[in-house]
Amino acid sequence: MSHREITTESRPVRVLLIGAACAVVTVFLLLPLIAVFVEALRKGWEVFFESLRDEAALSAVKLTLTAAAISVPMNTLFGVGAAWVLTKFRFRGRALLVSLIDLPFAVSPVIAGLVWVLLFGSHGWFGEWLDARDIRIIFALPGIVIATAFVTFPFVARELIPLMESQGTDQEEAAVTLGASGWRIFLRVTLPNIKWGLLYGILLCNARAMGEFGAVSVVSGHIRGETNTLPLHVEVLYNEYQFSAAFACATLLAMLALVTLGIKTAIEHLTGHTSAGKH
Amino acid sequence: MSISIQSIHKTFGNYKALDDVSLEVPNGSLTALLGPSGSGKTTLLRIVAGLESADDGPGRILFHGENVVGIPAGKRQVGFVFQHYALFRHMTVAQNIAFGLTVLPWGKRPPRREIAARVDELLGLVKLDGLGRRRPHELSGGQRQRVALARALAIRPKVLLLDEPFGALDAQVRKDLRRWLRHFHDEIGLTTLFVTHDQEEALELADQVVVMRNSRIEQVGPPQRIYDHPRTPFVYEFLGNVNKLTLRDGGTRYVRPHEIEVKFAAEYDPDFDRLAEVQHLFSAGPVAALSVRTEPGEFIEVEISRKQLDELALSVGDQVALSFPPDPTDPEGDWTGDGAAPTAAANDHAVEWNI
């Protein structure tokens, strides 16, 4: 070979390393994915579609979509706002705020769910007050939304903060001296510069919001057809030995993951091209 | 429009970035804020623009006699050009230039056709005709900086503020753009304040040079006067090559390489001259540079014309006599920079030195 590779490892070592990497990917990532689809279709397409058409399954899908539809926009607004404040301004307590944003990542999801039960549950701090007014948060949609929002809280902000940090404030300052108002600066200067990062953050946020199990499991109460999200529904079916139905529903979540990955790759591909002339 | 800066202070946490700075920028002048990094020059520029606010106090900034402290940057009508251009990446050159006009409130916004005409006019002004549809990343550094300038001019600013406008460009483009800017300034006559750490740039470009150091103004004046009559050793050293001499009485003085007269050793006058030995000779260039070593062992850089070098027929190891001009350091230098010539008394006083 006339082209010497930069790597100094000999050919057998390289083959071994690449082989090991492929094996790990297959066993840990690919195999479970295939298993989900194989198990789902074990009893044929009829059973597969039947379990998706089941009332409880449909209700779980609806609840999952509802929870995501509320918590993702909420966290998008919050994430953009937080990233804007944290990167365009310098103030006391800024570092603390940055660390606090990461809190939901650091806390176990179960604890994240339990906290809300302790606050809003019938024996919790605000439990009596809420009971008196007949407001249900825990074991109801509001609790599920709160728990989902809490767990997915950092995604958008985490994606945007380093991006906006690296872009600095020069363009915003230029817009200020040219007489643009804050809102206009955001729409015409900041947003176009962060749009891909933002989309990426929203995508990850959504994937996690629909897939969240731990925190939601604690606050949901597992009321079949009412407070079960899709991941919870899968668990219930599995515990009831309805393996094919459980896996059929799991394929929906697996598809969500695949679509997310696909869009993510597309975004990276797109920005890879547009960022060629970027500095 | 003149700018008057009156006792401005600025503190960042515990750090004093500007310490009682006052400065007059005459109408239509091209004024350079010159100083090493951390001297406060960019902070001062940003305060004038309104991008930063000065500490509370009696400090004022007047545009043509009108106090602008408290007026937001967007309402000051300043054209600000950033070191790294700060062009809007996702917009075309024309959209960049038009930005300041398109964000005007409804009533004041000119019609689309008028904006397009203004953009074309500005493109012509900065010699970028026909490049309106390009994106910033398709332009060279010098072109980008001119787009930034056109964008700043689009809002018909009262003053133009440039923060290290050539800082990110390479040497040749820098030089060309510098001359172009001087010419451009003379044409449009807009009061311009620019920041630089490059003394050559400041001296070549500006009508008035403001030397800053450690959050204060060290000296203000026309380039020639600042160069010839530095008020402090710092200004002396900052404005070009300089030798630091130890005097016989233990004091020091500064002298520029080209100010030293080189004579044959036979012409040595023990009262005023110093004897020295030629250590190195560099004659590849318009002037010849000598590195000489004096009796007490000091190394001095001297510049003489090629012609004189030939007349002296010097080579390494030769003995020469060095004769020094009077010390021009201006101990009662003019602080406000209104251009008054140094007094004769100050100069006479400066001659009292003892090599």
Side-chain angles (χ1 to χ4, degrees), chain B residues 183-199:
Chain B
H183 181 71
F184 183 78
H185 175 264
D186 293 344
E187 231 170 73
I188 64 170
L190 192 59
T191 308
T192 304
L193 189 57
F194 78 99
V195 160
T196 180
H197 62 262
D198 181 342
Q199 39 87 17

Side-chain angles (χ1 to χ4, degrees), chain A residues 167 169-181 184-185 187-190 192-193 195 274 276-279, chain B residues 46 49 51 73-74 78 80 82 84 86-91 96 99-100 102-104 109 137 144 151-152 155:
Chain A
Q167 287 174 347
T169 52
D170 267 16
Q171 290 185 42
E172 278 81 7
E173 287 190 337
V176 164
T177 62
L178 292 168
S181 63
R184 218 175 253 280
I185 293 172
L187 284 184
R188 293 203 43 196
V189 178
T190 308
N193 277 331
K195 61 180 177 203
T274 52
K278 201 155 77 173
H279 294 271
Chain B
R46 289 171 61 86
L51 290 173
V78 293
F80 200 100
F82 294 80
H84 298 288
L87 294 178
F88 306 126
R89 270 205 309 260
H90 56 283
M91 297 184 199
N96 264 281
F99 186 85
T102 55
V103 297
L104 281 173
R109 195 185 311 161
H137 67 85
R144 277 183 223 181
R151 182 179 66 178
I155 58 166

Side-chain angles (χ1 to χ4, degrees), chain B residues 261-284:
Chain B
E261 193 191 336
V262 181
K263 301 186 292 191
F264 290 114
E267 295 171 40
Y268 173 63
D269 177 345
D271 287 340
F272 293 104
D273 296 348
R274 281 191 189 185
L275 275 176
E277 189 187 285
V278 178
Q279 301 280 313
H280 295 286
L281 260 178
F282 313 94
S283 54

